[in-house]
Amino acid sequence: MSETDSCMTIKENLEAIFNSIFDGIISLDNNLNVVSLNRAAERFFGVRKVDVLGKSCFCGDLLAEIRESLDTTIRSGTPVREFSFKLTDGAGDERTAILSTAPLKDDKGYVKGVVLIVHDISEIRSLEKRLDDRPVYHKLIGRNQRMRHVFTIIEKVAKSDAPALIEGESGSGKGLIAEAIHYKSARRNEPFVKVNCAALSESLLESELFGHAKGSFTGAFKDRIGRFETAGAGTLFLDEIGEIPLATQVKLLNVLQDKTIERVGESTPRKVNARIISATNRSLKELIDKKMFREDLYYRLKVVRIETPPLRERIDDIEPLVASILTSQRKETGKNIESVSKEAMKLLMKYRWPGNVRELENAIAQAFVLCDDNIISPDSLPPEITNPAPTTNHESSDERSIISDALQKSHGKKSQAAKILGIDRTTLWRKMKEFHLS
């Protein structure tokens, strides 16, 4: 191969790489005439390379907003870091991008042009808008199959008045599921009343649930109605139901059976009509075995059982969750942070999230405090995410075994195995590679 042919091959390879890059790249000379642009830039601005080469600021008014940044880079020789830019394309759709500029210098260090880098985040913006405009499942977000199954159960449970028990780890969204059931039900215009059973002593919990009569105990200066009566014909959500003392469990069982309560210090039955939804992050079956929870109450509470999957088992929900949290944080803080860098997103996807969605929300909230740019980088994330503790052999073994079982049940069909596991095929492929499963 001649030297000319070799140079041509290198040039073709570089052009192929240049055109395969996701971000739009445009180089301009000192007069802002277009020297080159890749296919991503053509797609974003809706132009053809052949039509714009050699032309000054080919998009006319579209580039007027960033002309100052381009001129600044050429005059000073310093780059301009990420800033947000919006335009309406030829189809009438609004597009959003994060733009950066960098100087192009000759071998003597003189600025001979500028490069413009366009990171298109229109899809993220579109996703955020869909999530903001989607009240169907209250504040719940999820495209994972297991979460879609939860949404289906919510639809069905909302049509009945049966007690429902929501089980899942702390921070996995049990309270939001309870709210969604209420607001999808015929009781939506009645009160939704929440009681954290773990936060109150036995005597205070009974007074909180059932109310008390004046003089029934020290400090009871007047009659007080409890949460059952406050809920009326609405929904009473008993969070951390596994923490209720046995004596209170007996009284709660009577309420479920007779639909009546007695205030503390009274013997007059009072009719109640609230629907009961309960939640726990503990295994009630284990508490029953330890004689710490009544079996008859358990079966009364779990007429319908909903299991909330932990975030580590629905990794494909992290991106839409992050998009939604970014929107909320922008509104709350007023900071114009547009997105999360690819490196930071990889770390978020790899982390095991023991605190589930609540921990993810806290991580992004911290990043908003620490981040000085338009894009969240790994430096702004909590250290336990950027430098996670190694997974124990026991945890890895359990996860490998679960994936292996799913592959066996599906006879090696990966799409079917992913469905069994409630994850997408990409996540399954990644896990199979991690655990050396063929």
Side-chain angles (χ1 to χ4, degrees):
M1 181 184 291
S2 68
E3 185 175 339
T4 301
D5 289 338
S6 178
C7 289
M8 287 297 295
T9 301
I10 292 171
K11 180 176 182 293
E12 288 171 2
N13 288 339
L14 288 174
E15 285 181 350
I17 295 170
F18 184 59
N19 283 314
S20 67
I21 294 172
F22 176 79
D23 290 341
I25 301 174
I26 308 169
S27 62
L28 305 103
D29 63 22
N30 282 338
N31 296 315
L32 299 185
N33 296 313
V34 177
V35 177
S36 66
L37 75 164
N38 66 353
R39 292 195 186 112
E42 288 181 284
R43 287 194 298 270
F44 181 82
F45 290 105
V47 297
R48 293 191 310 162
K49 181 178 179 179
V50 67
D51 295 330
V52 299
L53 284 179
K55 295 186 179 178
S56 177
C57 279
F58 63 89
C59 289
D61 292 338
L62 292 181
L63 283 182
E65 294 179 50
I66 60 170
R67 182 186 290 271
E68 183 179 346
S69 296
L70 295 168
D71 286 335
T72 299
T73 300
I74 290 171
R75 287 197 311 270
S76 66
T78 57
V80 175
R81 298 193 68 179
E82 298 99 351
F83 60 97
S84 180
F85 174 72
K86 293 183 179 180
L87 63 85
T88 302
D89 63 19
D93 296 321
E94 185 179 79
R95 304 197 67 78
T96 306
I98 302 296
L99 304 185
S100 300
T101 66
L104 295 171
K105 298 181 180 180
D106 59 23
D107 54 2
K108 295 181 179 179
Y110 293 108
V111 176
K112 62 176 184 178
V114 60
V115 63
L116 176 66
I117 302 168
V118 183
H119 179 58
D120 189 356
I121 59 170
S122 303
E123 289 185 14
I124 294 175
R125 281 288 171 273
S126 176
L127 174 60
E128 289 177 348
K129 188 174 188 304
R130 291 200 301 274
L131 292 172
D132 284 345
D133 294 341
R134 178 184 164 194
V136 178
Y137 294 107
H138 196 56
K139 302 169 188 175
L140 289 164
I141 294 169
R143 63 189 179 197
N144 176 270
Q145 289 181 340
R146 288 181 66 185
M147 283 304 292
R148 288 179 182 175
H149 179 62
V150 170
F151 297 160
T152 301
I153 294 175
I154 289 172
E155 290 282 340
K156 294 178 179 179
V157 173
K159 295 174 184 176
S160 78
D161 286 326
L165 174 64
I166 307 167
E167 296 181 306
E169 296 178 7
S170 293
S172 59
K174 299 186 295 295
L176 295 180
I177 291 174
E179 285 186 29
I181 292 170
H182 172 75
Y183 289 111
K184 286 288 291 180
S185 75
R187 298 173 182 258
R188 67 179 67 88
N189 296 321
E190 302 294 334
F192 176 81
V193 178
K194 177 180 177 180
V195 180
N196 187 334
C197 302
L200 301 167
S201 65
E202 181 175 345
S203 58
L204 287 176
L205 180 60
E206 289 193 13
S207 174
E208 194 72 21
L209 290 175
F210 310 123
H212 62 252
K214 179 181 178 181
S216 57
F217 55 84
T218 303
F221 299 116
K222 60 181 180 179
D223 290 348
R224 181 181 187 276
I225 67 169
R227 297 299 184 94
F228 269 99
E229 291 181 87
T230 301
T235 300
L236 180 63
F237 174 46
L238 302 177
D239 198 11
E240 305 302 347
I241 192 73
E243 306 301 325
I244 289 185
L246 284 168
T248 309
Q249 291 179 33
V250 175
K251 295 183 179 182
L252 182 57
L253 179 62
N254 291 334
V255 176
L256 287 165
Q257 290 173 338
D258 303 332
K259 294 289 186 181
T260 61
I261 63 163
E262 290 181 6
R263 292 181 183 175
V264 176
E266 277 189 354
S267 57
T268 305
R270 297 173 183 269
K271 277 286 184 184
V272 292
N273 187 31
R275 183 208 191 142
I276 294 180
I277 299 176
S278 53
T280 180
N281 64 356
R282 302 180 67 181
S283 169
L284 295 187
K285 284 289 188 78
E286 288 183 9
L287 294 178
I288 291 169
D289 292 339
K290 295 175 182 178
K291 309 298 182 185
M292 296 172 65
F293 201 87
R294 294 181 62 98
E295 189 171 19
D296 47 4
L297 177 58
Y298 171 69
Y299 287 109
R300 283 281 184 175
L301 292 170
K302 71 165 282 280
V303 175
V304 179
R305 177 179 173 272
I306 303 174
E307 183 180 358
T308 311
L311 186 55
R312 64 180 172 276
E313 293 179 9
R314 53 185 187 105
I315 298 301
D316 43 339
D317 283 342
I318 287 179
E319 287 193 26
L321 282 165
V322 168
S324 177
I325 297 167
L326 286 172
T327 300
S328 299
Q329 283 294 315
R330 277 195 296 272
K331 291 176 182 176
E332 185 175 327
T333 66
K335 294 185 74 172
N336 188 31
I337 294 177
E338 298 288 344
S339 63
V340 172
S341 73
K342 292 177 183 178
E343 294 77 12
M345 185 59 76
K346 285 180 182 177
L347 291 171
L348 296 177
M349 298 285 278
K350 286 178 65 177
Y351 186 59
R352 290 188 62 78
W353 299 108
N356 292 292
V357 179
R358 188 181 297 134
E359 186 181 6
L360 176 61
E361 291 172 338
N362 291 340
I364 300 300
Q366 172 181 309
F368 260 74
V369 173
L370 300 179
C371 183
D372 294 321
D373 299 320
N374 293 97
I375 300 175
I376 292 172
S377 67
D379 293 342
S380 299
L381 296 175
E384 61 267 23
I385 295 174
T386 54
N387 295 293
T391 303
T392 65
N393 290 335
H394 178 69
E395 288 175 332
S396 295
S397 176
D398 285 350
E399 190 172 6
R400 189 184 192 282
S401 177
I402 290 169
I403 293 171
S404 180
D405 287 346
L407 287 166
Q408 286 181 6
K409 288 177 183 177
S410 65
H411 303 290
K413 295 179 179 177
K414 296 175 182 63
S415 57
Q416 193 173 336
K419 189 174 182 180
I420 292 170
L421 295 165
I423 59 178
D424 62 24
R425 289 190 64 183
T426 303
T427 303
L428 177 60
W429 275 102
R430 180 170 56 81
K431 290 290 183 183
M432 288 176 64
K433 185 176 180 182
E434 179 183 341
F435 295 124
H436 305 288
L437 292 168
S438 57

